[in-house]
Amino acid sequence: MRDDFSPITKQILARRVGYRCSNPNCRKPTSGPQEDVGKAINIGVAAHITAASAGGLRFDPNISSEECKSQSNGIWLCQNCGKLIDSDEKRYSVSLLQRWKSLSEQAALLDLEMDSTFNGLRQSNSASQDFKNGSGTQVNIGNTTIGHKTVYNQHASEFVYEVKKENGVQIKTTYRINPVTGARVIVGQELA
C-alpha cells in the first residue's frame, strides 16, 4: 500500500519553500497564472524523501505509515527534479534531500525577512556607486553577513552572495538578480 500525501500536506510543502523547487541548484518557480484568471499552473510535486511504498527508492521499513506521509518526509520539487531524485538513489540520498529541504526553507524565510533591507541597500547611493564600478560592499545584519559583488554579463544580471552562520557553520548562498524586477534566484550554495 502506498502512503500518499494529503492535499494539505502538499500545500504546506509548497508554501514553506515559496512555491520554488527545493533543489538549491534549481530553485525554479513551480506556480504561475493560467490564461483563465480563475486558475493557476502548478509544475511542482510533493516528493517523498523516503519511499511511499516498499520497493521504492530510499524506502525505510522502520518508519510508520503516518511518518511516511507526514510533512517531515516530503520535499517540494519541480517536475524535472522530482524525476531526477528518483533516477539515482545513491546520489540523491535521504540526508541530501533533507539538507535541500532545510536550505530551501531557510532561503524562503531569508527572502521574507531580508528583502526590504536588501532592496534598500541596493537603492542607496553608495551601494549603487559600488555596483556601477563592479566592486563590492559588505554589510552585517544580525548574524548574517551580506556580501555584494556585481558581475555584469550580456543579460545585465547581477550576482550577489550572502553568508549566513548557522550552528557554527557558514553557508554561502549565491543569487542572480534581475536588475529590472529585483527578483532573486539562488544559483548555488556552498560552505563558506
Side-chain angles (χ1 to χ4, degrees):
M1 184 165 125
R2 184 174 167 83
D3 294 318
D4 290 322
F5 296 121
S6 70
I8 292 171
T9 299
K10 292 176 185 179
Q11 188 176 59
I12 289 170
L13 288 169
R15 285 181 172 179
R16 288 185 60 86
V17 294
Y19 289 92
R20 290 190 172 275
C21 179
S22 293
N23 177 346
N25 295 314
C26 178
R27 297 293 291 150
K28 180 178 187 167
T30 60
S31 182
Q34 272 192 19
E35 284 294 317
D36 182 338
V37 296
K39 295 182 178 179
I41 295 170
N42 174 40
I43 59 168
V45 294
H48 285 81
I49 293 174
T50 62
S53 59
L57 296 178
R58 298 175 302 276
F59 180 72
D60 183 351
N62 298 316
I63 66 170
S64 70
S65 175
E66 288 303 310
E67 290 171 307
C68 187
K69 58 187 174 184
S70 73
Q71 185 272 339
S72 64
N73 189 44
I75 183 169
W76 188 255
L77 298 166
C78 69
Q79 297 276 342
N80 287 341
C81 291
K83 173 65 175 144
L84 181 69
I85 69 164
D86 285 344
S87 298
D88 189 342
E89 178 180 11
K90 289 182 181 177
R91 179 182 301 261
Y92 304 104
S93 65
V94 169
S95 62
L96 177 66
L97 298 181
Q98 289 170 337
R99 181 78 175 134
W100 281 8
K101 179 178 180 176
S102 175
L103 286 171
S104 294
E105 288 178 350
Q106 290 170 24
L109 182 58
L110 187 61
D111 282 342
L112 291 174
E113 292 176 340
M114 302 290 286
D115 204 33
S116 63
T117 303
F118 181 78
N119 285 336
L121 179 64
R122 285 186 68 233
Q123 293 170 5
S124 73
N125 290 338
S126 62
S128 296
Q129 184 62 41
D130 286 338
F131 282 128
K132 288 176 187 173
N133 293 334
S135 62
T137 60
Q138 183 169 311
V139 128
N140 291 320
I141 300 174
N143 290 331
T144 302
T145 300
I146 303 175
H148 302 273
K149 179 66 177 171
T150 304
V151 178
Y152 290 98
N153 64 20
Q154 69 241 25
H155 302 294
S157 291
E158 299 173 1
F159 291 85
V160 175
Y161 68 88
E162 297 175 355
V163 178
K164 185 173 184 180
K165 191 170 190 176
E166 296 176 20
N167 302 325
V169 177
Q170 287 189 333
I171 299 172
K172 177 181 175 183
T173 304
T174 303
Y175 297 92
R176 185 183 77 236
I177 300 175
N178 182 313
V180 176
T181 65
R184 295 189 299 165
V185 177
I186 293 177
V187 295
Q189 290 184 308
E190 60 186 297
L191 294 177

